[in-house]
């Protein structure tokens, strides 16, 4: 097949194209209407189709005679466990858990939060919700109770499904006390908390609302799949925006199922029965789309990996798994490769493993620097494909569509637009830019199936954040350019969102927390370049005149505060005290200027700056703290 024709067809005839793709999945009621508009005039897909995504992921394969195929491999170096589950086994546990949830009063239209480490029960919980039409909202286990509480109040879950503990490299993390604390902090009260007890020794305080996961599954009958409308919200997944409040991305069911089947076939080029491994976390969109739903819908074996690319136990973890489970296609973030490269620069571990099963390595989640890509290609002789997408899109928007045609790779580029995504580069006024001119990455509406439907409980913010800036287009929040061959290069976020080790975080949210310290008069948090994590946050803080606190103590207290409120994953380690912040005469903080100074980029001092001498002050402080390009450590 030829990429150009396939892509052009998807853009010129979206209705016919996505009607055909919809036939690749099974429906209880096939959709008659392929595309229409919702009450706000926003495009919706397959509005009269009826399906169940848990059926597509599990029951269908059993009916087709593949019940004995391995559906899921749990590989946990941190607990030294490898456990394999067939489709029969996954379906039995999911259907009983779903039956148990029904007996607790959960039903179609309710919401449930899932706050779990990387264990199979996290995927079972998601599938059980989908089975009975409960909209799930998975919260990344690295988020602190305050973040969990925000999501509880936004989604108003009837139940929370959690586990007793998670394991980080060097410590056991007791989840249950965090859930209890979040419920205390939130205004909404979930009725039940279903706890999977891993019996690893973590403290599991008992509350009246607790239900034991194992007892619930053991005591329940299997329940069948409930048909839902294609537009039924399968999940809400919160992601960082440009304010302190995370945005609840709403995903439909029908469009998403079609898009995921399409992605597995045409982007990842994966055949049924193969092993597909996305080394991410179910708390992120990658986990939803390509650890749980995508591979299972496509009848692939998926891997739940409870570990890290390094230190569990060493930089060979990825290669061991590829050899042991005969992984055919893998997906990870460039940070993981950078971490491995740092520990094993000559690729000595790689040589010890048989990686012959691996066909393709996909990379996404953050910008992939050319050095990392080249290191990978030098050591592993398979195509390494950078591709670009977001929580909002749910599946890749720019890639090399490996199941269609393998196009030559241009290092630094994320490839070409994926079918259904009509991508343009605009300037500030909404005029299309020419080849190699950098501007805003925008997508012409309608977006294809499976992309965000709305923001949970916040349609005005959906419109304001994505649709109003350029009418008729979706604004991605990223900057970039296209070259003369239509290869697209992503240059980074154009807003206050930063990307730390593939984790999307909001500097505005961090600013709110830093500013809440009683000694802080004002502050700015910016993302600066980091050789391992891509970016890390840097807080610049001005103290109150009457603040009687040692600078060192204040810095430590701020680091602790952000860790307590957002979680360790925020990775705020650099706090510097400055006399004042650079501002325009109208009082706007010049964050971009500070970023450019820290990263050693050529910067231009805006003519609107209030006082130019502050630039030297900032440089002096960064030198003193050895931060950014002034880091000599
Ligand atoms: N629960 C609790 N804490 C967590 C957590 C979780 N699920 N995930 C991360 N954390 C903690 C870590 O323990 C660490 O704590 P520390 O500051 O006390 O050391 C902190 O959050 C930062 O974690 P992380 O960003 O993962 O850094 P790290 O130094 O532990 O590991 C890498 C660095 C590069 C190995 C790791 O970030 C990695 O594997 N990245 C891959 C990225 C990825 O998969 N992204 C998903 C999008 S595709
Ligand atoms: P998330 O919603 O967490 O998946 O983060 C999405 C953001 O990560 C995008 O808006 C980009 O800024 C960034 N991103 C994801 N993939 C890539 C990539 N391949 N190259 C550059 N940036 C990326």
């Amino acid at each position: 097949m030829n990429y150009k024709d396939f892509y052009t067809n998807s853009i010129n005839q979206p209705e016919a194209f996505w009607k055909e793709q919809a036939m690749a999945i099974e429906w209880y009621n096939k959709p008659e209407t392929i595309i229409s508009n919702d009450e706000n005039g926003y495009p919706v897909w397959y509005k009269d189709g009826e399906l169940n995504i848990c059926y597509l992921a599990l029951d269908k394969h059993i009916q087709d005679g593949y019940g004995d195929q391995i559906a899921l491999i749990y590989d946990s170096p941190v607990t030294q466990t490898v456990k394999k589950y067939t489709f029969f086994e996954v379906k039995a546990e999911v259907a009983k858990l779903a039956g148990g949830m029904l007996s607790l009063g959960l039903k179609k239209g309710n919401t449930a939060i899932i706050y779990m480490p990387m264990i199979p029960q996290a995927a079972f919980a998601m599938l059980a919700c989908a089975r009975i039409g409960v909209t799930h909202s998975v919260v990344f286990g690295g988020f602190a109770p305050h973040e969990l509480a925000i999501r509880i109040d936004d989604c108003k879950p009837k139940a929370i499904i959690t586990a007793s503990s998670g394991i980080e490299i060097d410590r056991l993390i007791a989840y249950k006390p965090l859930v209890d604390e979040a419920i205390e902090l939130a205004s909404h009260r979930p009725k039940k908390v279903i706890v999977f007890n891993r019996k690893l020794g973590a403290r599991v305080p008992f509350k009246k609302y607790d239900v034991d996961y194992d007892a619930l599954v053991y005591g329940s009958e299997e329940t069948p799949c409930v048909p839902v409308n294609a537009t039924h919200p399968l999940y809400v997944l919160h992601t960082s925006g440009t304010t302190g409040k995370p945005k609840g991305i709403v995903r439909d069911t029908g469009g998403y199922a079609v898009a995921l089947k399409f992605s597995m076939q045409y982007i990842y080029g994966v055949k049924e029965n193969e092993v597909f491994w996305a080394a991410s976390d179910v708390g992120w969109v990658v986990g939803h789309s390509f650890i749980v739903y995508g591979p299972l819908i496509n009848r692939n074996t998926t891997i739940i990996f409870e570990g890290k690319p390094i230190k569990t136990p060493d930089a060979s973890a990825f290669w061991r798994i590829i050899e042991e489970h005969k992984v055919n296609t893998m997906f990870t973030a460039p940070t993981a490769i950078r971490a491995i490269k740092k520990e094993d620069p000559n690729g000595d571990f790689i040589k010890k493993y048989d990686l012959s099963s691996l066909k393709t390595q996909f990379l996404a989640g953050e910008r992939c620097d050319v050095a990392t890509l080249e290191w990978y290609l030098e050591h592993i002789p398979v195509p390494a494909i950078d591709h670009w997408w977001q929580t909002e899109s749910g599946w890749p928007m720019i890639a090399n569509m490996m199941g269609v045609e393998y196009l030559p790779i241009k290092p630094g580029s994320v490839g070409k637009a994926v079918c259904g995504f009509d991508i343009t580069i605009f300037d500030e006024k909404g005029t299309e830019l020419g080849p190699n001119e950098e501007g805003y990455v925008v997508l012409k509406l309608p977006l294809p199936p499976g992309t965000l439907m709305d923001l949970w409980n916040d349609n005005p913010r959906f419109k304001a954040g994505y649709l109003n800036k350029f009418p008729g287009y979706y604004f991605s929040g990223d900057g970039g350019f296209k070259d003369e061959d239509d290869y697209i290069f992503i240059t980074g976020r154009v807003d206050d969102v930063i990307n730390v080790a593939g984790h999307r975080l909001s500097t505005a949210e961090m600013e709110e927390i830093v500013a809440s310290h009683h000694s802080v008069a004002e502050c700015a948090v910016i993302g600066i370049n980091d050789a391992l994590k891509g970016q890390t946050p840097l807080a610049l803080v001005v103290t109150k005149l009457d603040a009687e606190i040692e600078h060192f103590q204040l810095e430590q207290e701020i680091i602790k505060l952000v860790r307590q409120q957002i979680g360790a994953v925020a990775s705020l380690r650099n706090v510097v005290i400055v006399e004042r912040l650079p501002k325009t005469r109208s009082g706007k903080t010049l964050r971009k200027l500070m970023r450019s100074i820290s990263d050693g980029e050529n910067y231009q001092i805006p003519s609107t700056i209030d006082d130019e001498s502050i630039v030297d002050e900032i440089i002096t402080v960064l030198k003193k703290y050895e931060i950014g390009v002034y880091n000599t450590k």
Side-chain angles (χ1 to χ4, degrees):
M1 206 187 317
N2 157 315
Y3 159 78
K4 195 160 181 270
D5 293 345
F6 197 46
Y7 173 74
T8 308
N9 190 18
S10 77
I11 299 301
N12 291 346
Q13 317 222 16
E15 193 150 354
F17 186 89
W18 291 110
K19 183 175 183 178
E20 190 182 331
Q21 300 312 325
M23 294 311 121
I25 64 162
E26 233 174 81
W27 302 79
Y28 297 120
N29 270 321
K30 284 199 171 63
E32 298 276 327
T33 308
I34 303 303
I35 186 161
S36 52
N37 284 332
D38 69 8
E39 65 276 14
N40 299 307
Y42 188 71
V44 286
W45 291 94
Y46 312 123
K47 74 168 186 186
D48 51 0
E50 269 200 327
L51 74 166
N52 184 288
I53 202 165
C54 179
Y55 170 82
L56 298 177
L58 303 176
D59 305 53
K60 179 182 184 308
H61 308 315
I62 294 172
Q63 275 171 23
D64 291 347
Y66 298 104
D68 283 324
Q69 185 191 313
I70 300 298
L72 190 152
I73 300 172
Y74 166 53
D75 191 307
S76 166
V78 292
T79 58
Q80 311 227 327
T81 313
V82 174
K83 194 165 177 202
K84 298 183 180 181
Y85 297 81
T86 62
F87 277 103
F88 275 133
E89 288 167 330
V90 176
K91 185 245 170 187
E93 176 141 350
V94 166
K96 284 183 175 191
L97 176 59
M101 287 165 66
L102 285 178
S103 71
L104 296 176
L106 279 112
K107 56 178 191 295
K108 183 169 160 181
N110 291 155
T111 53
I113 278 188
I114 298 170
Y115 182 68
M116 286 215 162
M118 280 297 287
I119 54 176
Q121 289 70 23
F124 299 162
M126 292 164 75
L127 290 159
C129 288
R131 195 169 185 87
I132 54 173
V134 167
T135 299
H136 60 67
S137 173
V138 183
V139 179
F140 175 60
F143 281 131
H146 165 77
E147 288 291 318
L148 182 55
I150 293 175
R151 287 152 176 84
I152 292 174
D153 279 336
D154 198 30
C155 298
K156 308 208 169 15
K158 201 159 193 179
I160 297 181
I161 308 169
T162 189
S164 50
S165 60
I167 302 173
E168 276 301 289
I169 292 172
D170 51 357
R171 61 194 191 278
L172 190 70
I173 295 173
Y175 272 47
K176 182 59 185 6
L178 303 179
V179 172
D180 292 336
E181 191 184 332
I183 293 174
E184 283 298 312
L185 288 171
S187 315
H188 172 80
R189 286 270 171 278
K191 294 230 167 356
K192 297 288 175 198
V193 175
I194 303 171
V195 187
F196 177 70
N197 195 337
R198 303 183 73 187
K199 304 186 180 72
L200 295 174
R203 196 166 65 86
V204 192
F206 181 77
K207 299 273 179 191
K208 270 205 220 134
Y209 46 57
D210 288 352
V211 175
D212 181 70
Y213 175 104
D214 278 331
L216 186 68
V217 170
Y218 185 74
S220 302
E221 296 290 325
E222 288 191 26
T223 197
C225 294
V226 173
V228 299
N229 192 269
T231 58
H232 178 77
L234 171 65
Y235 65 78
V236 182
L237 180 59
H238 287 84
T239 190
S240 299
T242 50
T243 70
K245 190 173 176 274
K247 304 188 277 197
I249 303 297
V250 182
R251 188 85 57 216
D252 66 346
T253 304
Y256 190 52
V258 172
L260 294 184
K261 179 75 187 171
F262 181 84
S263 304
M264 297 308 291
Q265 282 185 293
Y266 294 113
I267 299 175
Y268 296 110
V270 181
K271 294 193 187 71
E272 290 168 339
N273 200 21
E274 290 188 338
V275 181
F276 184 89
W277 177 29
S280 179
D281 190 288
V282 288
W284 308 117
V285 68
V286 179
H288 286 63
S289 298
F290 298 116
I291 295 177
V292 181
Y293 292 112
L296 293 179
I297 290 175
N298 200 45
R299 192 166 52 78
N300 295 121
T301 301
T302 187
I303 299 179
I304 300 247
F305 172 56
E306 189 180 30
K308 301 249 175 181
I310 52 170
K311 298 187 184 151
T312 60
D314 53 35
S316 74
F318 278 14
W319 323 129
R320 173 192 61 81
I321 291 189
I322 293 173
E323 177 185 287
E324 205 169 313
H325 305 310
K326 303 203 169 22
V327 173
N328 302 115
T329 305
M330 188 186 171
F331 179 145
T332 192
T335 306
I337 305 298
R338 286 197 295 271
I340 294 171
K341 177 179 153 199
K342 193 167 168 216
E343 304 262 308
D344 183 21
N346 300 320
D348 292 333
F349 278 123
I350 301 174
K351 297 181 192 108
K352 294 188 184 151
Y353 291 88
D354 173 8
L355 307 183
S356 56
S357 62
L358 190 68
K359 291 191 301 183
T360 323
Q361 173 72 60
F362 284 89
L363 298 163
E366 52 167 338
R367 215 177 73 76
C368 180
D369 53 291
V370 174
T372 301
L373 187 80
E374 284 175 348
W375 183 87
Y376 188 95
L377 292 172
E378 185 190 329
H379 294 283
I380 301 178
V382 300
I385 309 289
D386 189 4
H387 62 322
W388 176 78
W389 53 300
Q390 308 177 302
T391 307
E392 289 85 344
S393 68
W395 58 290
M397 297 185 275
I398 307 177
N400 200 322
M401 298 186 69
M402 293 301 281
V404 181
E405 183 188 356
Y406 176 31
L407 301 172
I409 289 178
K410 290 198 187 185
S413 164
V414 283
K416 295 195 182 195
V418 164
C419 291
F421 294 100
D422 189 352
I423 300 179
T424 304
I425 310 294
F426 272 173
D427 70 6
E428 184 63 41
K429 294 198 181 98
T431 309
E432 187 169 350
L433 293 172
N436 301 312
E437 288 185 307
E438 188 178 340
Y440 298 113
V441 179
V442 300
L443 294 96
K444 193 159 187 252
L445 296 177
L447 297 180
T451 49
L452 79 172
M453 282 210 302
D454 202 345
L455 291 185
W456 190 253
N457 289 332
D458 207 348
N459 185 260
R461 192 175 179 197
F462 172 56
K463 287 185 181 148
Y466 301 106
L467 306 179
N468 291 353
K469 190 170 171 71
F470 302 112
Y473 290 80
Y474 165 87
F475 171 53
S476 70
D478 278 28
F481 60 92
K482 257 191 213 181
D483 74 4
E484 43 292 307
D485 301 321
D486 284 335
Y487 277 78
I488 302 168
F489 295 73
I490 299 293
T491 49
R493 296 289 304 192
V494 294
D495 54 16
D496 294 332
V497 168
I498 58 170
N499 204 313
V500 182
H503 309 314
R504 178 166 156 181
L505 300 164
S506 157
T507 53
E509 184 171 15
M510 284 190 224
E511 277 182 14
E512 276 182 23
I513 296 167
V514 176
S516 71
H517 190 287
H518 53 82
S519 297
V520 173
E522 62 172 341
C523 67
V525 177
I526 55 173
I528 59 169
N529 289 341
D530 182 85
L532 175 65
K533 298 196 174 191
Q535 281 187 302
T536 46
L538 162 67
L540 296 111
V541 171
V542 180
T543 56
K544 284 183 183 157
L545 281 177
D546 59 353
E548 286 180 10
I549 185 167
E550 290 292 334
H551 282 184
F552 175 74
Q553 190 188 340
L554 178 58
E555 287 154 26
Q556 292 310 309
E557 284 184 14
I558 288 173
I559 289 170
K560 202 168 149 206
L561 196 62
V562 169
R563 200 177 162 95
Q564 268 169 0
Q565 299 269 303
I566 297 181
V569 73
S571 297
L572 176 68
R573 302 233 193 286
N574 290 319
V575 177
V576 302
I577 313 293
V578 290
E579 290 288 319
R580 53 202 180 129
L581 295 170
K583 290 194 181 169
T584 60
R585 280 187 286 278
S586 60
K588 215 169 154 246
T589 305
L590 291 163
R591 292 183 179 77
K592 188 166 182 302
L593 175 67
M594 289 189 283
R595 239 179 13 233
S596 302
I597 295 174
S598 315
D599 290 342
E601 287 168 3
N602 283 336
Y603 58 85
Q604 266 204 323
I605 302 174
S607 55
T608 51
I609 196 165
D610 185 35
D611 179 355
E612 226 180 292
S613 66
I614 196 167
V615 170
D616 288 333
E617 275 176 41
I618 297 283
I619 293 176
T620 308
V621 173
L622 293 176
K623 276 187 183 156
K624 184 178 132 205
Y625 282 84
E626 302 194 331
I627 280 174
V629 282
Y630 306 102
N631 185 351
T632 53
K633 275 179 250 172

